[in-house]
């Protein structure tokens, strides 16, 4: 049975994600021209913040860090990245924009945060670089051409990288840069789907095939 339907948010391909702001569950929706927090119980809008792109597309999934109340999100198509501080008291959410910049543009990929750094694949119509970003300031620490547009996982202190050319990589990252430990071509078609790690088995797919790899 339908519980509720929100008609006031122009939805985009990004997957909604549930976060908790000072004890209150919120459904974060990255819409075509803004980002918004909804009450998961009834769809009531709790807050919103503008983030309009040239094509009305916000595709990557926002990243919430409850330790410092920071919501980090990024888009291609001319808009770039923002960090919002979300606080909640007595059912009211306050939204403070900490920074916004256009240099880092995550098209379809995942964002990994480690400490005060975030790592992602940045680029839209041209090349996409693996990028280290300071979450506190929004400053770019480094960019690296080692992989094409990529999806990232973080496990056992390392990044698992799957780029759109079907190259699988293992790397370490720090505020100083990227160190590639291993890489291998494993898929033959365009690969935009994030890999999934269950135990020591890595599941990957491209547009025509799916495969499982034992990482032990």
């Amino acid at each position: 049975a339908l519980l509720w339907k929100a008609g006031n948010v122009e939805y985009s391909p990004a997957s909604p994600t549930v976060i908790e702001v000072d004890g209150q569950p919120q459904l974060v929706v990255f819409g075509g021209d803004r980002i918004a927090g909804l009450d998961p119980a009834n769809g009531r809008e709790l807050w919103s913040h503008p983030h309009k792109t040239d094509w009305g597309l916000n595709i990557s999934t926002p990243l919430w860090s409850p330790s410092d109340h920071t919501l980090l999100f990024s888009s291609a198509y001319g808009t770039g990245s923002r960090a919002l501080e979300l606080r909640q008291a007595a059912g009211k959410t306050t939204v403070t924009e900490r920074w916004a910049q256009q240099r880092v543009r995550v098209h379809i990929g995942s964002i990994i945060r480690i400490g005060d750094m975030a790592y992602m694949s940045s680029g839209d119509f041209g090349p996409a670089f693996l990028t280290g970003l300071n979450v506190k300031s929004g400053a770019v620490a480094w960019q690296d051409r080692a992989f094409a547009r990529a999806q990232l996982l973080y496990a056992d202190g390392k990044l698992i990288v799957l780029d759109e050319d079907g190259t699988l990589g293992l790397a370490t990252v720090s505020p100083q840069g990227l160190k590639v430990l291993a890489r291998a071509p494993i898929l033959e078609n365009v690969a935009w789907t994030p890999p999934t790690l269950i135990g020591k088995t890595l599941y990957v797919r491209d547009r025509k095939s799916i495969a499982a790899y034992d990482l032990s």
Side-chain angles (χ1 to χ4, degrees):
L2 178 67
L3 296 179
W4 55 263
K5 182 177 181 180
N8 59 345
V9 177
E10 181 185 345
Y11 290 94
S12 207
S15 299
T17 183
V18 177
I19 67 174
E20 189 171 287
V21 182
D22 293 319
Q24 181 189 58
Q26 298 191 4
L27 181 68
V28 175
V29 179
F30 206 2
D33 60 0
R34 61 196 175 110
I35 191 166
L38 310 181
D39 186 332
N42 54 30
R44 178 174 63 90
E45 186 173 286
L46 302 172
W47 59 270
S48 70
H49 194 82
H51 190 85
K52 183 175 177 59
T53 67
D54 292 341
W55 296 88
L57 293 172
N58 289 315
I59 301 172
S60 66
T61 300
L63 179 64
W64 171 243
S65 299
S67 60
D68 57 5
H69 291 77
T70 299
L71 185 68
L72 175 64
F73 51 100
S74 184
S75 300
Y77 310 119
T79 301
S81 304
R82 296 181 195 273
L84 303 181
E85 180 180 323
L86 304 181
R87 302 268 180 181
Q88 185 273 141
K92 181 179 180 180
T93 302
T94 57
V95 181
T96 304
E97 183 173 286
R98 289 305 183 192
W99 54 261
Q101 55 106 304
Q102 294 185 338
R103 182 178 175 186
V104 175
R105 301 177 181 182
V106 178
H107 184 198
I108 58 172
S110 47
I111 302 174
I112 304 294
R113 179 171 176 178
I114 306 170
D116 289 341
M117 293 292 296
Y119 304 99
M120 68 283 288
S121 184
S122 171
D124 38 32
F125 294 108
F129 308 110
L130 282 184
T131 301
L133 176 76
N134 186 296
V135 178
K136 298 296 186 182
S137 65
V140 174
W142 53 263
Q143 291 191 301
D144 196 295
R145 293 175 176 263
F147 297 93
R149 190 184 328 272
Q151 299 281 359
L152 308 177
L153 287 178
Y154 186 69
D156 194 28
K158 302 175 184 67
L159 278 186
I160 299 172
V161 184
L162 180 65
D163 73 16
E164 66 181 356
D165 294 335
T167 301
L168 179 68
L170 188 67
T172 58
V173 284
S174 72
Q176 289 69 49
L178 174 82
K179 181 180 180 181
V180 179
L181 304 176
R183 60 187 301 154
I186 63 168
L187 297 172
E188 298 180 354
N189 303 285
V190 175
W192 280 1
T193 303
T196 299
L197 181 65
I198 301 177
K200 296 180 180 180
T201 302
L202 184 72
Y203 299 90
V204 296
R205 61 161 293 177
D206 60 19
R207 289 186 175 180
K208 293 186 178 180
S209 61
I210 186 168
Y213 287 84
D214 184 355
L215 300 186
S216 59

